[in-house]
């Protein structure tokens, strides 16, 4: 058997073994939520379309949970009301799988090219590992929209903005109109001085929201004046699944959580994010800008359930990217160990050990484990140095930089998340 055929056979066997191991892991570790959130969406839309009720008045039977997204999200999800329940599940799962696959391909393929890995093998391994990632499996099991929103933002930041495409910002605007929290990426565009893209994103979000308002005036009025401000519909702030700074503060004193302390922590976190994001954009590192903004969104949002932490996936992949780009030695080992530890914690359901009792030092550290990971990624994710058009290195003053002598592939190209840059 030729060497290439042996290698392919070994890779196929490796992927099959890894997929079987992940399947066995999920059978033991994954919690089955029965598409709970999807049932909320489906029930609310059915109530609205077929039963004549108001979408924001709907509550899933025997729960306090109702439809909490803006009216434009209802417009996007409207076809669901005309599908059988099983078909709605299939569409939800397929949407998560497809968007995740494309995003991971954009992030992993450049690593595979530079490291000389077989590209399909790298993607297959990454997808298996992503399936075990707790936020990802929670997103699928709940029937959530997280990967769709991440994909829309990534289209802008990884594909359109680096090429100067005039449509850059549309994806962010659509994501912000579907769910408010991705609106932080509009702030990211403003903080980093991309005024045209920020205007496009803002205009898109406003335009589609006005369209939804014109189509559904009663629902829009209720959302913007009442439902948006009803925080009781989203759940208990101190619940261990809330892995945001607000959740940390709430678990310190569930009965009287300090709003002042939360605001101070959030402002300090935003200041760190703004500084690091500007530094990343200054050296053309748009992927790290995406990762940093995803992390800060999870931290400063009042409610960040575990499934929302899919926004940390780009940062974990970029840790591996930076490790493989670093010269063999201590720095590479440190980055790989950091990526392994972060990933291991985020598949382990660690925080749930303190679901019933998060008091004491161990409760403070353990119940907020995913928050500490988000903070570490925000503060220490390396910012890459890219080549300027004249071939010189671009510097970001005062920011830790990662030398990348092996950023060239055999064809003499450099890659900025899948986009080749010719060194002049």
């Amino acid at each position: 058997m030729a060497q290439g055929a042996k290698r392919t056979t070994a890779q196929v066997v490796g992927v099959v073994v890894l997929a079987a191991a992940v399947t066995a892991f999920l059978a033991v570790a994954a919690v089955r939520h029965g598409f709970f959130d999807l049932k909320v969406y489906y029930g609310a839309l059915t109530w609205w379309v077929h039963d004549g009720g108001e979408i924001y008045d709907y509550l899933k039977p025997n729960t306090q949970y109702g439809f909490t997204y803006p009216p434009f999200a209802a417009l996007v999800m409207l076809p669901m009301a005309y599908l059988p329940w099983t078909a709605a599940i299939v569409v939800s799962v397929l949407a998560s799988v497809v968007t995740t696959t494309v995003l991971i391909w954009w992030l992993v393929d450049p690593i595979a090219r530079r490291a000389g890995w077989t590209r399909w093998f790298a993607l297959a391994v990454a997808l298996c590992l992503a399936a075990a990632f707790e936020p990802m499996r929670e997103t699928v099991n709940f029937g959530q929209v997280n990967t769709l929103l991440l994909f829309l933002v990534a289209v802008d930041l990884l594909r359109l903005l680096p090429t100067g495409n005039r449509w850059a910002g549309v994806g962010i605007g659509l994501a912000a109109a579907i769910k408010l929290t991705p609106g932080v990426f509009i702030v990211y565009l403003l903080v980093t001085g991309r005024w045209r893209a920020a205007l496009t994103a803002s205009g898109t979000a406003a335009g589609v929201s006005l369209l939804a308002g014109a189509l559904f005036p009663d629902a829009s009025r209720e959302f913007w004046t009442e439902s948006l401000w009803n925080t009781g519909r989203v759940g208990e702030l101190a619940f261990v699944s809330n892995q945001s700074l607000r959740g940390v503060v709430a678990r310190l004193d569930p009965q009287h959580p300090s709003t002042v302390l939360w605001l101070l922590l959030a402002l300090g976190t935003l200041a760190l994010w703004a500084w690091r994001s500007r530094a990343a954009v200054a050296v053309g590192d748009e992927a790290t800008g995406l990762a940093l903004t995803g992390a800060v969104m999870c931290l400063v949002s009042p409610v960040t359930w575990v499934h929302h932490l899919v926004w940390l996936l780009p940062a974990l992949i970029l840790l591996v990217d930076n490790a493989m780009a670093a010269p063999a030695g201590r720095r590479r080992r440190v980055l790989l160990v950091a990526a392994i530890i972060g990933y291991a914690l985020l598949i382990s359901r660690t925080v749930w050990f303190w679901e019933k009792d998060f008091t004491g030092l161990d409760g403070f550290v353990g119940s907020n484990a995913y928050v500490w990971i988000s903070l570490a990624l925000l503060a220490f994710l390396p910012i890459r140095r890219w080549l300027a058009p004249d071939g010189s290195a671009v510097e970001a003053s005062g920011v830790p930089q990662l030398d990348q002598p092996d950023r060239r592939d055999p064809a003499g190209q450099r890659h900025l998340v899948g986009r080749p840059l010719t060194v002049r």
Side-chain angles (χ1 to χ4, degrees):
M1 184 182 294
Q3 187 66 30
K6 289 182 179 179
R7 182 187 187 191
T8 300
T9 301
Q11 289 175 335
V12 170
V13 171
V15 170
V16 171
V17 170
L18 179 59
V22 169
T23 301
F25 172 78
L26 293 176
V28 175
V31 177
R32 302 294 186 267
H33 299 291
F35 299 98
F36 183 94
D37 289 357
L38 188 64
K39 285 180 179 177
V40 173
Y41 309 152
Y42 190 82
L45 289 164
T46 300
W47 163 265
W48 187 35
V49 173
H50 300 296
D51 299 332
E54 176 53 62
I55 190 169
Y56 294 108
D57 292 339
Y58 173 84
L59 293 178
K60 188 177 182 296
N62 303 314
T63 75
Q64 62 180 345
Y65 298 105
F67 194 85
T68 58
Y69 294 166
F72 179 67
L75 177 60
V76 172
M77 296 181 187
L78 192 59
M80 190 188 304
Y82 300 95
L83 294 177
W85 169 240
T86 302
I89 293 175
V90 171
V91 170
S92 174
V93 173
L94 282 177
S96 293
V97 170
V98 170
T99 53
T100 300
T101 299
V102 174
L103 175 67
I104 289 179
W105 174 254
W106 287 344
L107 293 170
V108 168
D109 187 55
I111 309 175
R113 286 173 176 269
R114 290 191 299 269
W117 300 339
T118 305
R119 295 163 68 192
W120 73 262
F121 177 70
L123 176 63
V125 170
L127 289 174
C128 288
L129 296 177
F133 189 54
E134 183 179 356
M136 186 65 68
R137 66 187 193 237
E138 293 278 285
T139 288
V140 174
N141 283 331
F142 273 115
Q144 266 283 344
V145 298
N146 303 309
T147 61
L148 172 62
L149 302 180
L150 177 53
F151 172 77
L152 287 172
V153 171
V155 169
D156 274 346
L157 298 189
L158 302 184
R159 314 305 289 185
L160 300 183
L161 201 58
T163 62
N165 191 294
R166 63 184 180 132
W167 295 102
V170 171
I172 291 173
L174 292 174
I178 292 172
K179 189 174 183 179
L180 298 179
T181 47
V184 71
F185 284 92
I186 299 178
V187 182
Y188 166 72
L189 294 174
L190 292 171
V191 165
T192 54
R194 271 73 65 81
W195 310 109
R196 177 174 177 172
L199 182 62
T200 299
S202 301
T204 299
V208 296
S209 296
L210 288 172
L211 172 63
L215 294 173
F216 317 124
D218 292 339
S220 296
R221 181 169 52 253
E222 181 167 350
F223 175 79
W224 296 109
T225 61
E226 296 183 27
S227 299
L228 175 61
W229 315 104
N230 184 2
T231 57
R233 291 166 62 93
V234 298
E236 176 59 44
L237 290 176
F239 184 41
V240 75
S241 183
N242 185 13
Q243 291 293 301
S244 69
L245 292 172
R246 187 68 162 133
V248 173
V249 172
R251 283 186 286 277
L252 290 174
D253 184 0
Q255 300 303 316
H256 304 94
S258 172
T259 300
V260 173
L261 176 59
W262 169 55
L263 289 174
L264 289 174
L265 291 173
L267 288 174
T269 302
L270 286 168
L272 173 63
W273 161 75
W275 174 62
R276 300 214 72 216
S277 294
R278 286 175 61 86
V281 170
V283 294
D285 194 357
E286 206 69 67
T288 298
L290 165 64
L292 294 174
T293 308
V296 84
M297 183 180 73
C298 294
L299 288 165
V300 303
S301 174
V303 175
T304 298
W305 302 134
V306 168
H307 58 78
H308 294 149
L309 296 175
V310 294
W311 290 91
L312 299 184
L313 190 61
L316 291 175
I317 294 175
L318 288 174
L319 272 181
V320 177
D321 186 354
N322 283 293
M324 297 309 300
R330 182 176 179 274
R331 186 178 183 87
R332 175 176 289 186
R333 291 194 298 271
V334 168
L335 290 172
L336 284 176
V337 168
I340 291 169
I341 291 175
Y343 174 77
L345 287 173
L346 283 165
I347 70 172
S348 66
R349 288 184 55 81
T350 296
V351 298
W352 298 98
F353 289 116
W354 289 272
E355 179 180 3
K356 301 298 183 183
D357 181 9
F358 39 74
T359 59
L361 179 60
D362 67 310
F364 176 72
V365 174
S367 70
N368 301 308
Y370 300 166
V371 178
W372 311 142
I373 294 173
S374 298
L375 283 169
L377 291 170
L378 176 64
F380 300 113
L381 182 66
I383 292 172
R384 279 88 59 85
R385 178 186 291 119
W386 300 99
L387 288 186
D390 61 1
S392 61
V394 181
E395 301 284 348
S397 178
V399 179
Q401 296 292 311
L402 178 63
D403 292 318
Q404 298 182 349
D406 58 343
R407 279 285 180 180
R408 297 179 185 271
D409 68 12
Q413 293 178 318
R414 294 170 63 88
H415 295 273
L416 192 145
V417 191
R419 183 171 66 91
L421 296 179
T422 301
V423 180
R424 297 178 183 174

